[in-house]
Amino acid sequence: MKKLVSLLMVLLLVSLPVFAEETAEVKKLAKEKIDIVINLLRVEKDKKLRNKKIIEALDPIFDFEQMAKVSLGKTGWMAMNAEQQKEFNLLFVKRLQESYLEKLDLYTDEKVTVDEATEVQTQSGKARIYVTTHLISADDKKEMVYRFYKNDTHWLVYDVEIMGVSVVQTYRSQFAGILAKGSVEDLLAKLRKQGEFSVPTGSKG
C-alpha cells in the first residue's frame, strides 16, 4: 500500500509541471488571439474584411461543433437525423459567429486584459483550463472566461462565460424550451430566422 501511495505521489509531482506549462501556453494562445481581434477593431476600417479576418483568427481555437452538441443536449442531438444534425451545426455556428461580431460592434477602445489561467477538474475527472479576461472602461469592468478542453492534440474553447453567464447554457435553456413544446423542425425553423435567440450581454438581469 505504501509503495502504491508513493508511486501516485511521484506521478502527481511529475505531471504538475507539465500541466503548468500547458496552462501558460493556453493563456498565451488566448492573449494572442484577443490581441489580434482588438488590433483589427482598431485599425481595419472595412467592416466586412475586418469580420472575415476576426473569424479566421478565432476559428482554429473554437470547437464550434462541440459547442453545438452541448447546447442542444444529448437528447435533442439524438432526436435529429444526420441531415438535421448537419444543418443544426451550420446554423448554430453561423448564429454564434454573427452574435459575437455584433457584440464587437459595441467596442469603443476599452482596455482588454488577460488576467489568469487556471486548471479546473470536472466531476468526471477531466482537465479543463479557464482563461479569465476583463473588458475595462472608465466606469465599468466586465469579466469574460474562456473555457478550454483538450482534444487529442489541441486545447480548444468549448464555452464562454460573460459576467458569470454561460453562452452554451443560455442557448441550451432556450433550445430545451422549444423542444419541450415543439419539434426539431420548429427549432431549425427558428434558427433560420434572425433575432430569435439571445446570448449573455454582460448583465445577469
Side-chain angles (χ1 to χ4, degrees):
M1 183 65 180
K2 288 184 178 181
K3 288 183 178 180
L4 178 59
V5 172
S6 297
L7 178 59
L8 290 174
M9 288 298 292
V10 169
L11 290 173
L12 177 62
L13 291 172
V14 169
S15 65
L16 282 177
V18 174
F19 201 86
E21 289 179 6
E22 289 196 305
T23 302
E25 283 298 314
V26 170
K27 178 180 178 179
K28 179 182 178 183
L29 175 63
K31 186 177 186 309
E32 287 175 351
K33 295 299 183 180
I34 290 171
D35 286 347
I36 289 172
V37 172
I38 297 303
N39 184 62
L40 285 168
L41 289 172
R42 289 173 175 167
V43 305
E44 182 56 71
K45 304 306 180 185
D46 185 325
K47 183 177 177 179
K48 186 175 181 180
L49 180 59
R50 180 201 75 187
N51 288 347
K52 180 176 182 292
K53 289 180 178 179
I54 287 174
I55 294 302
E56 287 175 348
L58 295 177
D59 189 67
I61 68 165
F62 274 78
D63 191 337
F64 289 115
E65 289 192 5
Q66 177 70 7
M67 294 175 79
K69 288 182 180 180
V70 175
S71 294
L72 189 58
K74 185 176 181 179
T75 301
W77 183 255
M78 295 304 294
M80 291 183 173
N81 58 40
E83 185 177 342
Q84 290 170 328
Q85 289 174 350
K86 182 178 180 180
E87 183 181 8
F88 176 80
N89 270 338
L90 292 173
L91 291 171
F92 182 78
V93 170
K94 184 173 183 287
R95 181 57 52 86
L96 271 182
Q97 292 176 345
E98 288 176 346
S99 178
Y100 184 76
L101 293 171
E102 287 170 5
K103 300 296 184 294
L104 291 180
D105 284 338
L106 303 176
Y107 177 77
T108 54
D109 207 32
E110 292 88 351
K111 180 181 179 181
V112 181
T113 63
V114 180
D115 298 317
E116 62 178 315
T118 56
E119 173 194 354
V120 177
Q121 294 290 334
T122 65
Q123 291 182 344
S124 61
K126 296 180 180 178
R128 301 286 187 261
I129 293 177
Y130 291 2
V131 179
T132 302
T133 70
H134 287 95
L135 181 67
I136 305 170
S137 61
D139 57 356
D140 196 16
K141 183 178 181 180
K142 289 184 172 63
E143 181 180 275
M144 293 180 64
V145 180
Y146 293 85
R147 297 181 175 185
F148 286 79
Y149 86 104
K150 192 173 187 180
N151 65 6
D152 294 337
T153 56
H154 298 93
W155 285 94
L156 301 169
V157 175
Y158 69 94
D159 194 9
V160 180
E161 277 187 15
I162 303 176
M163 296 292 286
V165 182
S166 160
V167 168
V168 166
Q169 291 304 318
T170 298
Y171 275 120
R172 184 164 185 166
S173 176
Q174 294 177 71
F175 293 165
I178 294 169
L179 291 174
K181 299 177 181 179
S183 66
V184 166
E185 281 302 322
D186 292 329
L187 173 58
L188 292 174
K190 285 183 176 292
L191 271 173
R192 295 182 193 114
K193 297 179 181 179
Q194 290 287 339
E196 288 290 336
F197 298 97
S198 62
V199 295
T201 60
S203 173
K204 294 182 181 180

